[in-house]
Amino acid sequence: MASLRDIKQRIDSTEKTQHITKAMEMVSASKMSKAEENARSFVPYSEKLQEVVAHIAANTDATHPMLQKRDVKKTGYVIVTSDRGLAGAYNSNILRAFHQTVEKRHTSKDEYAIIAIGRVGYEFCAKRDLPVVKSILGLADQPNFADIKKLASETVQMYTDEEIDELVIFYNHYVSAISQVVTTKTLLPVTEMEAGETSSVESQYEYEPSEEEILKTLLPQYAESLIYGALLDGKASEHAARMTAMKNATDNAEELIGDLTLAYNRARQAGITQEITEIIGGVAALE
């Protein structure tokens, strides 16, 4: 049975850990609020860009490689993870979905390329010798588009140059503070835009110099915006997952402290009872 000193030391160390997890929970809650606002405020821009691109693509003869499907010889995968752990199953869920997809779809590493956003995803691929062709680590908790513009532009250019034939992204979609859903989305080729949703655009815009030139400029920007939007969504999910994980850790520490305090009190009571018994025994012997 553990001594009173050992139990007391465990109580003290658990209380210190609880203070840390509680502080991390509060910090993550603050970051989550800001990240959620960033993700939501980006949606109108992305939707308007999609609206204009969809209208041009549907109502003109203009064509672009990003709108056309081709035989898939090589796939590009963007995986959005965090740079730090202590976020529950946030990273493991993404990496599990990605790994299962790769095992199901590919028999050779030559058939795909990986663009890793976040240290956890990068290290996961590096340890397994998976083909990481681009990566970015150490992003801010509230990233700006400038932080990933170069990576996003180069990734989209890989498709234009036919280095890859499709681009798929894995990230956690933020639903609520306690719910994040692993999402897989095909970014390129762009096939999910419907002109029927953009009937009002025609009366609002006239295109100069030409619709084809504008499409050539807007499509890469649209694809890049999808990557950035997924990153913002993933950051909100990351902070929410870390907040939930730290709250669970704090609650578990509280429960453990209660159990240890009960064990401490029982051991202390047993020690007092033993001392009283010994005193009574000594008095009886003297009589």
Side-chain angles (χ1 to χ4, degrees):
M1 184 176 178
S3 66
L4 288 175
R5 178 179 296 178
D6 291 338
I7 297 175
K8 183 61 176 174
Q9 288 177 344
R10 287 194 63 190
I11 292 175
D12 291 341
S13 64
T14 304
E15 286 178 342
K16 291 177 181 178
T17 301
Q18 184 185 38
H19 292 157
I20 294 172
T21 57
K22 182 63 176 178
M24 292 181 68
E25 177 192 345
M26 296 174 67
V27 170
S28 294
S30 176
K31 290 180 178 180
M32 181 197 69
S33 178
K34 179 62 176 176
E36 181 184 3
E37 180 183 343
N38 291 341
R40 294 190 187 283
S41 63
F42 185 74
V43 170
Y45 167 80
S46 180
E47 289 180 344
K48 178 57 68 174
L49 187 58
Q50 174 180 332
E51 183 179 307
V52 174
V53 171
H55 176 265
I56 297 176
N59 294 278
T60 69
D61 295 329
T63 60
H64 194 280
M66 292 185 185
L67 296 173
Q68 300 171 348
K69 289 185 177 181
R70 54 180 184 247
D71 292 338
V72 179
K73 300 175 182 177
K74 191 168 186 176
T75 301
Y77 292 108
V78 180
I79 52 175
V80 182
T81 59
S82 68
D83 288 291
R84 302 185 302 275
L86 300 178
Y90 171 81
N91 291 306
S92 60
N93 287 341
I94 296 173
L95 296 175
R96 185 184 302 111
F98 162 71
H99 196 252
Q100 289 173 349
T101 299
V102 168
E103 287 191 330
K104 182 184 298 183
R105 295 186 60 186
H106 306 290
T107 57
S108 170
K109 294 179 182 178
D110 296 330
E111 296 177 355
Y112 62 97
I114 299 169
I115 298 90
I117 300 178
R119 187 178 304 278
V120 175
Y122 174 80
E123 292 180 349
F124 174 88
C125 296
K127 288 178 181 178
R128 291 160 178 79
D129 196 28
L130 301 180
V132 178
V133 296
K134 298 182 185 299
S135 63
I136 184 168
L137 312 179
L139 284 172
D141 289 321
Q142 314 295 341
N144 297 315
F145 180 68
D147 297 333
I148 67 156
K149 178 174 176 53
K150 183 173 183 293
L151 176 76
S153 178
E154 291 176 352
T155 300
V156 172
Q157 190 62 39
M158 287 175 64
Y159 182 87
T160 303
D161 295 341
E162 298 189 8
E163 295 178 28
I164 57 176
D165 301 300
E166 67 174 349
L167 183 63
V168 180
I169 191 167
F170 289 83
Y171 68 100
N172 261 315
H173 170 58
Y174 177 87
V175 178
S176 68
I178 59 173
S179 177
Q180 302 85 43
V181 180
V182 176
T183 301
T184 305
K185 181 184 295 184
T186 299
L187 303 184
L188 295 172
V190 179
T191 59
E192 297 182 356
M193 296 184 295
E194 297 183 4
E197 299 176 355
T198 62
S199 57
S200 63
V201 177
E202 187 172 7
S203 61
Q204 296 178 14
Y205 301 106
E206 292 183 1
Y207 300 103
E208 291 289 344
S210 69
E211 294 178 339
E212 187 170 356
E213 287 297 319
I214 292 173
L215 192 65
K216 186 184 299 183
T217 300
L218 286 186
L219 265 174
Q221 292 182 4
Y222 174 64
E224 292 168 14
S225 76
L226 292 178
I227 296 175
Y228 181 55
L231 174 62
L232 293 180
D233 206 353
K235 280 294 183 181
S237 297
E238 176 190 343
H239 297 315
R242 183 169 289 113
M243 181 191 71
T244 301
M246 291 302 98
K247 183 181 186 306
N248 291 337
T250 301
D251 293 342
N252 290 339
E254 183 68 30
E255 183 178 347
L256 180 58
I257 290 170
D259 293 340
L260 290 172
T261 301
L262 181 60
Y264 178 84
N265 291 336
R266 286 176 175 172
R268 184 168 176 270
Q269 185 63 46
I272 294 173
T273 301
Q274 180 66 25
E275 289 176 4
I276 293 175
T277 302
E278 290 175 355
I279 292 171
I280 293 174
V283 172
L286 291 174
E287 293 177 351

